[in-house]
Each structure stands twice: as structure tokens, then as C-alpha cells.
């Protein structure tokens, strides 16, 4: 069974830069996995930040960026703000129509 | 503006069937892929599967034996049925629409607000 891995938690100071990663239990993440990044705040449905590795969804601030770093997908927040304090999930296309979410990263801005 | 609204029983008994409906307003369900995603309280997201307006489906392997998704184009609704539920199926259930271009789907662009289903006797 394919497992998508994420850091369970991360912290960043206001104004700082943080990179969250998304990997595969077996193998490397590539553009062919069409990495998605979602942000979820308590009580709300997730919203797309990044799709297709590095495309920002409509209305997403440019302090959010996506990339492939080594063998993982990465979400970088440059100049973190207080309202970036959220849960972040990656979603990867695996194969044959199968998409799998990572376990999520709880980001604390303090 | 496309809006999705999940509905169904908030309480289901163990071993019974969970049935939910997602009603889409502000747009047609044809020509799109639709998914159900669930999130146990305090835990992460799980993509249950997707259904195309034509009725084609694809389910997560771990749930495939218990899941059925379908579309009703006359009502602009997508349905989810999950059989033989246990406490582990307690979760917020979301429906969502994919953004696709050609034959490639890229992300879940529209989400419902979610509905909590508790499995308990």
C-alpha cells in the first residue's frame, strides 16, 4: 500500500520561511504525481494552495510556492503570517486513477 | 458560483449502510469528476474515490469492497454508499469537484462544507 509522508508538525516565526515536504514510502515524487497542496483551518473544508507541483490556485498569495526538492514535493511559505497557522495536506497521483493524501502537517506560526 | 452540499443521516448503526448525497448548485454535474473525501475527528484526509458524470468510478483499494458512488444527472446529485460500517468509519464526509483539463485532473477545486457521520449503536 502506498503511503504519502509528511512532517507531523512544524513551527515558524512570523516573517520567516518554512518548507514542508511530501514524499512516498517507496520511490520518489515527480511532476508525474501532480502534487497538490491544501490548507485547512479548524472547522473548514480544505482549499487548494498549489496544484500540478507549482501552480498557485486562484487567489492564493505568492508567498506560497511549490516545487520538487530532491525526491519530494515541497511547499514553501516565504514571509509566514499569523493566519498561515493551519494544517497542510499534500495529495499525490499514484497510478491508475489512485490519488492519496499525506497525513498532514500542523504548522504553528509563533 | 458552484456550491456543494452534503446531506444524510448523522448517526448510523454498526454493520449498517452509510448513505450520503451531495447536491450541486450553480453548475451542472456533467463533464466533471467528483470525489468523496473523509476525515475522522482530529485526523487527516482520506480520498474515498471518484465518479465521473458518465458513471465511471475508481475507489481507494482499502474501501473498494464496501463503497459505491453514483451520479444522478436529473437531480444534479452525487451519492455515496458505504456498507458494513464500524466505528472506524466515523468521520466528516466531504464531496468535492475536480478541476480537469482534457483527460488529466489536477486538483479538488470545489468542496462542500462536510457532514459529520457517527457510527454508534
Amino acid at each position: 500500500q502506498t503511503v504519502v509522508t509528511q512532517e507531523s508538525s512544524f513551527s515558524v516565526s512570523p516573517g520567516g520561511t518554512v518548507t514542508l515536504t511530501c514524499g512516498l514510502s517507496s520511490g520518489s515524487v515527480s511532476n508525474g504525481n501532480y502534487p497538490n497542496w491544501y490548507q485547512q483551518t479548524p472547522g473548514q473544508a480544505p482549499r487548494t494552495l498549489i496544484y500540478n507541483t507549482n501552480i498557485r490556485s486562484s487567489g492564493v498569495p505568492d508567498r506560497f510556492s511549490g516545487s520538487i526538492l530532491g525526491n519530494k514535493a515541497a511547499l514553501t511559505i516565504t514571509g509566514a503570517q499569523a493566519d498561515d497557522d493551519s494544517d497542510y495536506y499534500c495529495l499525490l497521483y499514484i497510478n491508475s486513477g489512485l490519488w492519496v493524501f499525506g497525513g498532514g502537517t500542523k504548522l504553528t506560526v509563533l | 458560483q458552484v456550491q456543494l452540499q452534503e446531506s444524510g443521516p448523522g448517526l448510523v448503526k454498526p454493520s449498517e449502510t452509510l448513505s450520503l448525497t451531495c447536491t450541486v448548485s450553480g453548475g451542472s454535474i456533467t463533464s466533471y469528476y467528483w470525489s468523496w473525501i473523509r476525515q475522522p475527528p482530529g485526523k487527516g484526509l482520506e480520498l474515498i474515490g471518484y465518479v465521473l458524470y458518465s458513471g465511471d468510478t475508481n475507489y481507494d483499494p482499502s474501501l473498494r469492497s464496501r463503497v459505491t458512488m453514483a451520479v444522478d444527472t436529473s437531480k444534479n446529485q452525487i451519492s455515496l454508499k458505504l456498507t458494513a460500517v464500524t466505528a472506524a468509519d466515523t468521520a466528516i464526509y466531504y464531496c468535492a469537484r475536480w478541476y480537469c483539463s482534457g483527460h488529466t485532473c489536477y486538483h479538488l477545486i470545489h468542496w462542500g462544507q462536510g457532514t459529520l457521520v457517527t457510527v454508534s449503536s
Side-chain angles (χ1 to χ4, degrees), chain B residues 27-90:
Chain B
S28 172
I29 68 171
T30 59
S31 304
Y32 293 107
Y33 284 83
W34 304 87
S35 272
W36 286 94
I37 303 101
R38 69 180 183 177
Q39 184 172 36
K43 296 187 178 181
L45 300 167
E46 180 180 23
L47 201 152
I48 299 171
Y50 68 73
V51 57
L52 183 56
Y53 69 97
S54 62
D56 291 345
T57 56
N58 191 304
Y59 306 134
D60 182 274
S62 68
L63 296 169
R64 187 170 292 150
S65 63
R66 298 194 292 131
V67 172
T68 303
M69 294 182 190
V71 297
D72 185 334
T73 54
S74 67
K75 296 181 179 178
N76 236 33
Q77 291 179 334
I78 303 99
S79 63
L80 169 70
K81 292 188 186 302
L82 183 65
T83 62
V85 297
T86 69
D89 296 310
T90 294

